[in-house]
Amino acid sequence: MNGFQFIAASAGSEGGSLFPLHLFGMFLGFLGLIFFLGTAVGMMRFPDFYTRMHAAGKGDTLSTMLMLTGFALVTMEDFSLGSWLLFVKIMGVVLFIFLSTPTSSHALMRAAFEDDEMPMTEEDLKKSRKRGKKK
Amino acid sequence: MTEYFPLIMGVALFILMIPVLYRIWVGPTGFDRILGANVIGTKTAVLLVIIGAVYDRVDMFVDFAIAYALLNFVSAIVVSRYLNRTISLKEMEAREKKAKA
């Protein structure tokens, strides 16, 4: 009995119990949740469109990829053909998001830049501070 | 814990979507709103896989997730193309003259 068969047997016999692959999948899922927390806080607090886009573009891509990979591992119950097909499909979604999210954020950034949306400079910050003091 | 894992993930994801929804609500520019909608759309593809794991029908919901990710990408590209106002060279020169004067 080699290692692969052992993992398959331990997965099939103990339904619902933890084994290393599920544990690793759950770890990846929670890691993705932490990255999405970073995205949400960044979109709340950053002062400028481009900085918000920085938070959204990076954190969104990485957290989505991590969460989907984690779920692909968690739903892997036995190593049959159907579950392999499911795994490959979910990894296909991961690949598509890896390609598409940076592309769409690049297109959006370009549209914003050509629409005269200016990035925030230090002078703008000074102005806003002065305005705050006057009020 | 394995049986509760999809439920916990789904609820946490839903709660973390609220700040992004706030950005859609009070976004100063239209681009902020589109960006927030894009982020929520990407997360909805994950949420569909999670819903599939809750109902034990991941094989069906994964196809929905693929279609949703595709539609989200296409909608982001279309909206950014729609808002893309490419400035011609003449207009740019006219603006520079205006700025100098």
Side-chain angles (χ1 to χ4, degrees):
Chain A
M1 183 184 248
N2 57 18
F4 185 77
Q5 280 171 343
F6 172 72
I7 292 174
S10 69
S13 60
E14 307 165 30
S17 71
L18 294 174
F19 84 109
L21 204 61
H22 286 176
L23 261 182
F24 187 59
M26 284 156 78
F27 171 70
L28 282 186
F30 281 122
L31 203 65
L33 219 56
I34 289 168
F35 274 102
F36 188 48
L37 176 70
T39 302
V41 171
M43 284 201 75
M44 269 296 264
R45 288 188 54 93
F46 275 148
D48 180 14
F49 170 69
Y50 295 101
T51 49
R52 282 195 282 268
M53 171 150 272
H54 162 82
K58 288 184 180 183
D60 191 32
T61 313
L62 185 59
S63 69
T64 307
M65 285 167 66
L66 282 175
M67 271 191 260
L68 279 178
T69 312
F71 265 88
L73 293 180
V74 165
T75 51
M76 194 86 172
E77 281 168 2
D78 50 349
F79 289 85
S80 63
L81 194 64
S83 62
W84 271 114
L85 184 66
L86 203 60
F87 184 78
V88 168
K89 267 186 184 173
I90 295 182
M91 293 320 275
V93 181
V94 170
L95 181 67
F96 181 73
I97 280 174
F98 174 65
L99 292 176
S100 80
T101 312
T103 311
S104 66
S105 54
H106 179 224
L108 208 56
M109 188 277 296
R110 201 179 178 84
F113 190 71
E114 285 176 0
D115 204 42
D116 287 346
E117 173 86 21
M118 279 296 128
M120 190 181 230
T121 55
E122 210 155 322
E123 293 171 9
D124 291 337
L125 267 179
K126 279 176 190 170
K127 275 181 193 171
S128 68
R129 267 178 209 154
K130 276 180 187 172
R131 217 177 289 155
K133 275 179 187 173
K134 276 178 186 175
K135 278 177 186 175
Chain B
M1 195 180 163
T2 313
E3 59 263 38
Y4 290 116
F5 173 65
L7 208 62
I8 293 169
M9 283 283 290
V11 171
L13 205 59
F14 212 80
I15 289 169
L16 282 179
M17 272 182 192
I18 291 171
V20 186
L21 207 64
Y22 164 82
R23 183 50 63 196
I24 295 179
W25 185 260
V26 296
T29 61
F31 296 108
D32 284 303
R33 301 198 165 110
I34 299 156
L35 186 65
N38 199 6
V39 170
I40 284 190
T42 314
K43 284 295 169 256
T44 308
V46 182
L47 206 59
L48 275 171
V49 176
I50 293 175
I51 289 168
V54 169
Y55 287 126
D56 276 334
R57 290 295 306 271
V58 189
D59 48 349
M60 189 173 74
F61 277 87
V62 163
D63 297 339
F64 299 165
I66 293 172
Y68 205 89
L70 205 79
L71 274 178
N72 185 42
F73 173 58
V74 169
S75 74
I77 293 290
V78 164
V79 170
S80 60
R81 279 290 117 188
Y82 173 68
L83 288 172
N84 189 351
R85 195 159 53 83
T86 311
I87 308 165
S88 65
L89 206 62
K90 275 186 183 177
E91 201 183 335
M92 203 180 262
E93 283 171 358
R95 274 189 198 178
E96 280 176 1
K97 274 183 186 174
K98 221 181 200 177
K100 279 179 184 174

